[in-house]
Amino acid sequence: MAQHVQSLIEHYGYFGIIVILIGGIVGLPLPDEVFLTYVGYSVYRESLGHIPALVSALIGAMGGITLSYYIGRRFGLPLLQKYGPKIHITEQKIEFTKKMFMKVGPFLLIAGYFIPGVRHLTAYIAAINNYPYRKFAFFAYTGAFIWTFTFITLGKVLGEKWRFVGYYLSHYSMYVILLFVLVMLIVYYLFKKRNVQK
């Protein structure tokens, strides 16, 4: 993977970062976190600038999530159900994300980036649920910044050990998902409790 990414970055530079992240967010089966970590490693090696890499990644993530939202508004759930399985977006993932979005939509738009399979769906689900674009953009773009900054900086800090991120993601991603669900449920409970007290 590293060789292919390295070749892509050498040939297309920051534009390549944008294109890969747009494709990854829309739903192509790309290891986005590993890619972002490698971008951070490239910053560590000084073959990319830190700020330009962050800006390019942010543009790519924002572009991908916006395109997903537009597709959801234009074509709706049937398209996702028909073509989703071809890019590893299953009916179970769709239902899970719909239920979570109904409960904690804004939090899901921000934190969903950190869960493979969920970040590919949040924009579609938001659009299908007629979530206002301004609210969607605020939370989704905030999440895009946090996500890209986290993994690029992680790759820069880890340096030669950047591959550890891919290893831990492949071995412990299920635990991360379970922890995320637990946190979302706690946040939802506290939010509802506060509203009831008002």
Side-chain angles (χ1 to χ4, degrees), residues 9 12-19 47-54 56-57:
I9 290 177
Y12 300 102
Y14 302 108
F15 180 71
I17 296 173
I18 295 172
V19 171
S47 56
L48 291 174
H50 194 190
I51 299 302
L54 285 170
S56 300

Side-chain angles (χ1 to χ4, degrees), residues 4 32 41 79 83 95 98 114 120 129 155 164 176 181 195:
H4 290 95
D32 297 320
Y41 171 62
L79 182 75
Y83 295 103
E95 287 303 314
K98 282 176 67 177
F114 291 86
H120 305 108
N129 289 336
F164 286 171
V176 173
V181 172
N195 284 348

Side-chain angles (χ1 to χ4, degrees), residues 79-91 94:
L79 182 75
L80 194 60
Q81 292 172 325
K82 183 177 181 180
Y83 295 103
K86 296 180 180 180
I87 53 176
H88 305 289
I89 296 176
T90 63
E91 189 70 34
I94 294 172

Side-chain angles (χ1 to χ4, degrees), residues 29 46 52 64 69 93 100 107 118 129 143 154 156 175 179 187:
E46 298 185 351
Y69 181 87
K93 288 180 179 177
M100 289 298 295
F107 301 102
V118 171
N129 289 336
L154 190 59
K156 181 185 177 188
Y175 296 106
L179 178 62
V187 169

Side-chain angles (χ1 to χ4, degrees), residues 115 117 126 175 177:
I115 303 179
Y175 296 106
I177 293 173

Side-chain angles (χ1 to χ4, degrees), residues 21-40:
L21 286 177
I22 288 176
I25 295 293
V26 168
L28 296 179
L30 302 172
D32 297 320
E33 289 90 354
V34 177
F35 170 71
L36 285 171
T37 309
Y38 183 82
V39 170

Side-chain angles (χ1 to χ4, degrees), residues 140-151:
Y141 296 168
T142 299
F145 173 77
I146 295 170
W147 181 61
T148 54
F149 178 83
T150 297
F151 282 99

